[in-house]
Amino acid sequence: PVNIFTGDGFIYPDTGAPMTGTIDPRALDYIRTSYTSDQTTEAHNAAAVVSGEVPALQFPTAEAPISLAVGVEWNESETDYRPDDVTRFGGAYGQGGTSPPLQGSLDSTEYFIEAYVPVVSGMPGIDSLGLDLGYRKSDTNLSGDFDTWKAGLEYSPVPSLRTRVMLQRAVRAPNLGEQFAPAAFGLT
């Protein structure tokens, strides 16, 4: 019903020439539509962290004491996405695919401890040598309980050069979209 190359028989009144590239109002009504979607997302977060140097914990070969960080984090998120039928089934011109509704919630509580342990510093060939350690315990309603950790060694022979070796286990729980979105078709 839309031909962008002709004027669908319309004539310019001042010149009498046929119109090109115009759309008849009836054709425009055919392809034009209004569509809406409503989304509500709530997030609640709380965290408590204590960090600093512990002067009583210092290697005699190091110029600085051990630094510690201990904390807890709590997160709760909830979303509710409600598209109208045009949006849900991909009927909007140029939409590219379906957009199904999405609803879900997640919550997590995490406890963590991290430490930087200076082992040697200020010696010939060793500007600094230290350990970077961390542990996190996570409890989520979507993925259950899991542990993550890191252990690393940091070496600096001179102040302008530093090398780091790290071994870690990292795990991430899915977000709301990854966990609750149904299969949908779209353009890629």
Side-chain angles (χ1 to χ4, degrees):
V2 176
N3 184 345
I4 61 171
F5 301 107
T6 69
D8 291 329
F10 290 96
I11 304 292
Y12 283 109
D14 55 341
T15 63
M19 293 182 181
T20 57
T22 61
I23 299 175
D24 181 285
R26 294 167 295 178
L28 188 58
D29 288 342
Y30 179 79
I31 63 169
R32 181 174 46 192
T33 186
S34 295
Y35 54 98
T36 61
S37 59
D38 294 316
Q39 181 167 359
T40 304
T41 301
E42 286 188 33
H44 304 278
N45 307 302
V49 179
V50 176
S51 64
E53 293 182 343
V54 184
L57 299 175
Q58 182 173 343
F59 281 92
T61 54
E63 295 174 345
I66 294 174
S67 296
L68 285 177
V70 179
V72 61
E73 295 176 351
W74 170 78
N75 297 293
E76 181 180 76
S77 298
E78 196 174 301
T79 191
D80 186 14
Y81 171 66
R82 297 292 165 204
D84 64 4
D85 287 342
V86 173
T87 306
R88 180 183 310 183
F89 299 114
Y93 188 69
Q95 181 177 336
T98 61
S99 184
L102 171 73
Q103 185 176 23
S105 65
L106 63 87
D107 63 77
S108 66
T109 304
E110 300 179 315
Y111 305 92
F112 64 90
I113 183 168
E114 294 183 1
Y116 182 74
V117 183
V119 179
V120 179
S121 58
M123 300 183 104
I126 305 175
D127 182 60
S128 67
L129 177 68
L131 299 171
D132 190 4
L133 307 169
Y135 173 79
R136 182 176 291 259
K137 175 75 172 175
S138 301
D139 178 17
T140 70
N141 68 320
L142 299 179
S143 301
D145 296 346
F146 52 87
D147 302 322
T148 57
W149 52 266
K150 68 177 181 175
L153 180 67
E154 187 177 280
Y155 169 63
S156 179
V158 292
S160 60
L161 178 66
R162 179 178 13 180
T163 60
R164 185 182 301 161
V165 176
M166 185 74 71
L167 180 64
Q168 57 190 351
R169 177 179 190 257
V171 178
R172 181 181 70 82
N175 62 39
L176 289 169
E178 293 167 339
Q179 181 68 30
F180 296 108
F185 297 99
L187 301 175
T188 56

